[in-house]
Amino acid sequence: MNLAIILILIPLFFSAACFVSGKKLAPYISLLSGIISIFYFLLLMGSYNVKDNYLAFNTSILWIPSLRAYFHVGLDAAAILPMLLTQLVITLSSLGTIVKGNGRNASFYSLIGLTHAALNGFFCAQNPITFFIFFEAALIPIYFLVLNFGGANRQQAVFKFFLYTAFGGLLMLAAVVFLQVNMHAYLHLESWVDFYQNKMAIKYQYWLLAAFFIAFAIKSPIFPFHTWQADLYTQADRPTLIIIAALMSKMGVFGLIRFNFLFIPALYDWFYYLILICLIGVVYGALIAWRQRDFIRIIAYSSLSHMGLIAAGILTLTNKGVQGGLFAMIAHGLGVAGLIYASDVIIRRTEESSIDSSSGIAKVNPRFATYFFIILLSTIGLPLTCGFIGEFYLIWSIAEFRLPFGILAALTLIFGAAYMLRFYQKTMFGVSSNNVLNFDKLSLSEDYVFIIIVVLILALGLFPADWMGLGQFAYQFMNYIPTK
C-alpha cells in the first residue's frame, strides 16, 4: 500500500493553502496540517505490526532506469520515533505562533509546510538517493525562513550555515553517486537492504565513511563542525529555531544509523577515534554552555553536547546504542523545543535574553515556572522523565565499549545539571526585576504548548518500554552485521 507518501503530500497541500490564504488564516491552516498529520500517522501506526513486517506502506518508483535509481519511501522501525517527533514539533511550532502580536505572514507558514514535507520524506527514505533528495530539500525552506524572519544579523548567520551545509551536501552527493554507480551492476539498489549487502573494497569504504560522517557531523552538529550553530540559533526566528534544534539536528545522527551499516569493516577500524571526537564535543559543548549568559546560546551549546552523546552511542554499533540513540532523539527534541519556547515566552515579555537581566519570574507566574522546571529536569536526564532513558542507554553502551569513555560521557549529566540549574535559578528566583513585575499570564495557546510537552515528557519517562522496543527491532533489521 502506497500510504507513507501521503505523509509527504498532506503538508505539501496545506503549504499551498497557507500561501494563498492570507495572513489571518495561515496560522490556523498550518496548525490544521499538523493535527491531520499527527492523526494520519497514528492511524498508520495502529495498523502496523513491526514484528511481522519491518517495512510497510511503501511507495517505490523506478526514477532513473540506467542507474537503477529508485524513489522509495516507507515506514520502518527506525523511522517511527523521529516521524512521531516531527509531527509533534511542527504542530507545536505552529500552535506557538498563535499569540498576540504575531507579525508572520502567509509565506512563513507555507515554508513551515514545505519543511514539514521534506522532513517526513527524509525519515521515510528507503535508499540513499531518496535520502539525499530530502536531506537537501529540507535546507531550502529553512534558509528562507531564517533569511526573511530572523534577527538583525541573520544574513551573515544563514550564509555561514548555508556554506557549511552545502559543503556537507556536496560530499554526500559525491558519495551517493559513487555508491549508485559502483553497485548497480550486481545489486538491485531499491532499498537499504540492497546497499547493506555490498562487498565494497575497504579502501573505498574509508573515503565514503569520511564523506558521510562529515556531512552528518555538520548537520547535527557534532564537534568540530559546529561553528555555524550558535550564530544561527541566536538569529533564527524562534518557531523556526524550534524546528532546527528539535528536528533538523536529528537528521545527522539519524543518518549515522542508516549509513553506518554500509561500511562496517571501515567503521570497526575507525570507531574508536570517531567516538572519542564525539565525546570531546560532549565535554566541550557543556563547558562552553556554562560560560554563556544568553538563553539561546546556552541551549545551542547544550544541544552540541547532547548530539555528541547520541552520535557516540550510535557509533558503538550495539543494540543499546541504537535503542538509546533513537529514544534520545525524541527526548532531546521535546526538551529543546520546550526550552526554546520557554525562552521565547520570557524574551517576548521582558525583551531581554540574558540570564542576568530577568529574575524572580516564579513569584509572578508560578505556573510558567513549573512547566519550565519539568522541561529542564528532562534535559538534564532526571529519572522518570524521558530524558533519563535515552541517556542511560547511551552511556551504558559507551561504557561497555570503553569504560573511560563511559566516564567521559557521564560528565554530561553533571555539567548539564550545573548550567541548566544556574539558568533556572537566575531567571526564576531572587528579587523580581523591574522587567518581570508585569509578566503577563500565559495565553491559552502558550498553555497548550507547555501542557502537551510536559505530558509527553512524563508519559515517555514513565512508560518507555514499547518505544524502546522499536529501537531493538531497528537493530535486529541489521543483524547481518559481521563480527569484528
Side-chain angles (χ1 to χ4, degrees):
M1 292 184 291
N2 301 321
L3 297 180
I5 199 168
I6 296 176
L7 283 165
I8 303 169
L9 298 178
I10 290 172
L12 276 181
F13 170 78
F14 281 101
S15 171
C18 285
F19 190 72
V20 299
S21 64
K23 184 177 177 178
K24 288 186 178 178
L25 284 177
Y28 300 98
I29 293 174
S30 180
L31 179 61
L32 180 64
S33 171
I35 292 171
I36 290 174
S37 296
I38 288 177
F39 278 100
Y40 180 69
F41 178 73
L42 294 177
L43 189 66
L44 288 185
M45 290 303 93
S47 58
Y48 175 37
N49 188 341
V50 68
K51 295 178 182 177
D52 299 333
N53 187 14
Y54 174 80
L55 179 61
F57 313 123
N58 282 283
T59 296
S60 179
I61 301 167
L62 183 58
W63 180 36
I64 308 174
S66 59
L67 280 179
R68 212 177 297 166
Y70 289 82
F71 175 85
H72 186 184
V73 293
L75 275 181
D76 59 67
I80 288 175
L81 285 177
M83 284 293 292
L84 177 62
L85 179 67
T86 301
Q87 315 319 310
L88 289 170
V89 167
I90 294 284
T91 306
L92 290 174
S93 182
S94 296
L95 177 60
T97 63
I98 303 176
V99 291
K100 185 179 178 182
N102 172 15
R104 300 171 186 90
N105 58 26
S107 65
F108 173 87
Y109 294 97
S110 180
L111 289 167
I112 292 284
L114 291 177
T115 309
H116 189 181
L119 287 167
N120 280 352
F122 172 81
F123 290 118
C124 287
Q126 292 300 324
N127 60 38
I129 289 278
T130 314
F131 183 95
F132 174 77
I133 291 170
F134 287 110
F135 185 86
E136 291 297 292
L139 172 64
I140 298 167
I142 286 294
Y143 173 82
F144 286 108
L145 278 168
V146 178
L147 190 63
N148 292 324
F149 302 96
N153 298 317
R154 61 189 182 278
Q155 291 184 346
Q156 296 94 319
V158 79
F159 181 67
K160 190 175 181 181
F161 169 65
F162 185 81
L163 280 184
Y164 268 79
T165 50
F167 175 70
L170 282 175
L171 283 178
M172 182 185 286
L173 175 62
V176 168
V177 170
F178 184 90
L179 280 175
Q180 200 73 22
V181 169
N182 281 272
M183 293 183 188
H184 87 286
Y186 59 95
L187 289 176
H188 194 55
L189 302 185
E190 184 178 1
S191 68
W192 293 112
V193 175
D194 297 327
F195 288 88
Y196 293 159
Q197 292 173 348
N198 78 83
K199 305 292 182 187
M200 207 180 324
I202 189 74
K203 62 179 180 181
Y204 298 129
Q205 291 195 28
Y206 288 139
W207 287 105
L208 292 170
L209 175 60
F212 281 115
F213 181 80
I214 292 171
F216 297 146
I218 290 171
K219 200 78 165 187
S220 280
I222 296 169
F223 175 86
F225 303 97
H226 66 283
T227 55
W228 58 268
Q229 184 192 27
D231 291 339
L232 187 79
Y233 275 37
T234 51
Q235 293 303 315
D237 182 53
R238 283 181 287 279
T240 307
L241 176 57
I242 288 175
I243 295 172
I244 295 172
L247 299 176
M248 293 196 71
S249 67
K250 308 302 175 295
M251 295 172 75
V253 288
F254 186 75
L256 289 177
I257 292 178
R258 289 294 198 209
F259 280 87
N260 273 349
F261 299 93
L262 271 72
F263 316 114
I264 293 293
L267 199 51
Y268 278 146
D269 289 343
W270 281 6
F271 64 174
Y272 179 91
Y273 305 103
L274 296 179
I275 291 172
L276 183 59
I277 289 171
C278 293
L279 293 178
I280 290 171
V282 170
V283 177
Y284 172 81
L287 291 175
I288 299 296
W290 170 257
R291 292 173 58 85
Q292 303 303 310
R293 317 302 293 178
D294 184 278
F295 302 164
I296 303 300
R297 284 188 174 270
I298 292 173
I299 295 169
Y301 287 109
S302 161
S303 290
L304 172 65
S305 185
H306 281 96
M307 286 302 104
L309 181 66
I310 294 173
I314 291 170
L315 286 167
T316 61
L317 300 178
T318 60
N319 191 359
K320 293 187 189 75
V322 173
Q323 279 186 280
L326 284 170
F327 198 84
M329 284 185 207
I330 193 168
H332 179 264
L334 290 172
V336 78
L339 282 179
I340 294 169
Y341 195 64
S343 300
D344 183 52
V345 168
I346 298 173
I347 293 169
R348 276 191 281 114
R349 283 162 171 75
T350 66
E351 298 183 349
E352 297 285 351
S353 63
S354 168
I355 59 174
D356 299 318
S357 301
S358 304
S359 60
I361 295 174
K363 288 182 183 175
V364 296
N365 199 325
R367 192 165 74 235
F368 170 71
T370 305
Y371 293 143
F372 190 7
F373 190 59
I374 295 172
I375 293 167
L376 184 138
L377 292 180
S378 179
T379 62
I380 64 177
L382 196 82
L384 304 183
T385 65
C386 64
F388 170 74
I389 310 296
E391 289 197 0
F392 178 75
Y393 268 68
L394 289 169
I395 293 171
W396 187 2
S397 66
I398 297 166
E400 285 187 342
F401 175 73
R402 294 284 191 283
L403 183 58
F405 282 13
I407 295 171
L408 200 60
L411 289 177
T412 187
L413 300 176
I414 300 169
F415 291 145
Y419 62 73
M420 279 300 174
L421 288 174
R422 186 192 60 161
F423 178 11
Y424 189 80
Q425 287 171 355
K426 287 272 188 180
T427 52
M428 294 296 117
F429 298 124
V431 178
S432 298
S433 55
N434 291 332
N435 57 358
V436 304
L437 288 175
N438 297 315
F439 199 91
D440 292 341
K441 292 181 180 178
L442 296 177
S443 68
L444 198 58
S445 65
E446 289 172 331
D447 256 328
Y448 285 152
V449 171
F450 284 121
I451 289 170
I452 292 168
I453 290 175
V454 166
V455 167
L456 288 170
I457 283 173
L458 295 177
L460 289 171
L462 291 169
F463 307 103
D466 289 339
W467 301 105
M468 291 300 293
L470 289 171
Q472 189 170 2
F473 281 111
Y475 186 77
Q476 286 173 357
F477 173 64
M478 304 151 187
N479 61 4
Y480 51 82
I481 299 172
T483 56
K484 187 178 178 182

